[in-house]
Amino acid sequence: MDSSAESGSSAETREAIMEATFRALSKHGYNDLRMRDIGEEFEMSRTLIHYHYDGKHDLISAFLEYVIEQYEGSVRVEENADPLTELNARIDQCLFGPEFDSDFGHWERMKVYHELFSQAQHNERHREVFNDHYVAIRDSITQVIERGIEEGAFRPVDAEETAQFITDVIHAARARRISLGHEDAPDQARRSVHQFVLASLLEPEFVVSSRQKTTGPAE
Amino acid sequence: MDSSAESGSSAETREAIMEATFRALSKHGYNDLRMRDIGEEFEMSRTLIHYHYDGKHDLISAFLEYVIEQYEGSVRVEENADPLTELNARIDQCLFGPEFDSDFGHWERMKVYHELFSQAQHNERHREVFNDHYVAIRDSITQVIERGIEEGAFRPVDAEETAQFITDVIHAARARRISLGHEDAPDQARRSVHQFVLASLLEPEFVVSSRQKTTGPAE
């Protein structure tokens, strides 16, 4: 499906198919999902689904791209925000999600996302989509850490490794909430990232001891 | 299946069924697995599978318990090891696994584990098994951190929250290696846990600044 060639109404059709896929996935899970389950959630003619998508796998890949599109670029950061404020906004966005004008909120979307993530070992196209998204998230966090280092707000850490660590912690907390039902996992992750990662970005004593530069007894 | 009533040969039968399930899962994935796929990997009579297990879901639950049993209690820690050595051994065990005397090594086992983990939102019995295992791992790490605090080797952190953070990072790194093919994710996680978590457990300057207790300029 070539989105650049979409007319207004075919963009609406795509949206309607995607939301029908959401409803079907929420009811049946990816495991047991059939094309006809999506058809049953779709208010227009089912032949439209088959016209636009070449079977379940093609539809699910397009659906995954649709879900990710809604996250990328949705972070609201005030202009001229300092690096720590921007970093916190990005972490909170990943952990707690943006607001959605839909029956399906952040956690319904994340359930589907994490279920497809675990299946990506079996699906090369999904793996590529997830890899691109992983890099996009990690790089957006890397950039704000690099800015903080340039501006002297953060100590000179390896920005990419730090961003990767934060991205992993976010992922694990969401997975634990979804799979094990630990409702407080995202809050715990937020606290731990602050305590272990952000505090060490800012802690002046820690800078001195880890860089082995002492200019006086009190520093 | 009541394991306490197993004769030697029925313990062997269980083992053979479990290894057949491994082979079938590795070939087909959980998504597409059928009981007959397991039967095709099983060298004894297929009726034995149906005698011991009440369908696919019962068999997969028993299989999950079997995989977890092989991990719990398999950590080799030298007697009288100091807390940091024991903590490192436990982290490495979770990240890199024990040796297995089988065709299926740590990563083959972890692929199945993580796939079932993502499905646990749909399966109450699996969710309970994963929750028990999660608590066992987190508590074993909590205990060694508490011992380190008691012995004065670690600064007085919240041991359970620290253990939880480490457990989450381990989980995320394994998932990223499996789903995205990032072979170096476990090594990266190990480095980051050392840099952000273990270093802060040990850093004397950090103890002073975070506890706000200074008994002298050198402490």
Side-chain angles (χ1 to χ4, degrees), chain A residues 31 117-118 131 179 182 209, chain B residues 31 117-118 131 179 182 191 203:
Chain A
N31 223 353
F117 185 91
S118 79
N131 258 311
S179 283
H182 296 185
S209 76
Chain B
N31 223 353
F117 185 90
S118 79
N131 258 311
S179 283
H182 297 185
R191 275 204 307 279
E203 197 71 41

Side-chain angles (χ1 to χ4, degrees), chain A residues 169-185:
Chain A
V169 172
I170 289 166
H171 188 96
R174 291 192 316 217
R176 187 154 65 81
R177 185 188 193 277
I178 292 166
S179 283
L180 302 188
H182 296 185
E183 300 285 327
D184 49 356

Side-chain angles (χ1 to χ4, degrees), chain A residues 12 90 139 195:
Chain A
E12 279 164 31
R90 291 192 178 279
D139 286 358
Q195 185 188 339

Side-chain angles (χ1 to χ4, degrees), chain B residues 83-93 190 193-194 198:
Chain B
L84 187 61
T85 303
E86 182 181 339
L87 184 52
N88 277 322
R90 291 192 179 279
I91 292 168
D92 283 357
Q93 159 86 9
R190 190 176 194 276
V193 165
H194 279 247
L198 305 191

Side-chain angles (χ1 to χ4, degrees), chain A residues 111-145:
Chain A
K111 275 183 186 178
V112 174
Y113 179 96
H114 279 265
E115 195 159 357
L116 293 176
F117 185 91
S118 79
Q119 299 289 329
Q121 58 174 298
H122 304 300
N123 186 316
E124 200 49 51
R125 184 168 160 195
H126 288 192
R127 178 177 276 206
E128 275 175 34
V129 173
F130 277 114
N131 258 311
D132 289 347
H133 183 54
Y134 172 82
V135 169
I137 296 286
R138 189 197 58 196
D139 286 358
S140 71
I141 297 178
T142 301
Q143 280 160 22
V144 62
I145 294 175

